[in-house]
Amino acid sequence: MKSAIYYGKENVKVCDIPTPSVGENDILIKNIYSSICGTDVAVFTQGENTGHKIKVGDEFGH
């Protein structure tokens, strides 16, 4: 599956990551569309600790 990975200020790349596995009491939902919000923009332009608690190497967005 595709995911935006945060690599630091103004550095986000869309990468292929493994599809999560599901447990006996879980479901897997296919996301068809996604977007960004103002907090995502702040983290992208200003760096870590400016909105979401995101670190380099984490999946970006929500």
Side-chain angles (χ1 to χ4, degrees), residues 1 18-31:
M1 68 183 229
T19 300
S21 59
V22 295
E24 184 177 318
N25 297 314
D26 298 327
I27 61 171
L28 183 63
I29 298 173
K30 181 178 182 179
N31 186 3

Side-chain angles (χ1 to χ4, degrees), residues 48-61:
E48 295 179 79
N49 300 316
T50 56
H52 299 305
K53 295 178 182 176
I54 187 168
K55 294 186 172 33
V56 171
D58 286 352
E59 293 177 43
F60 190 70

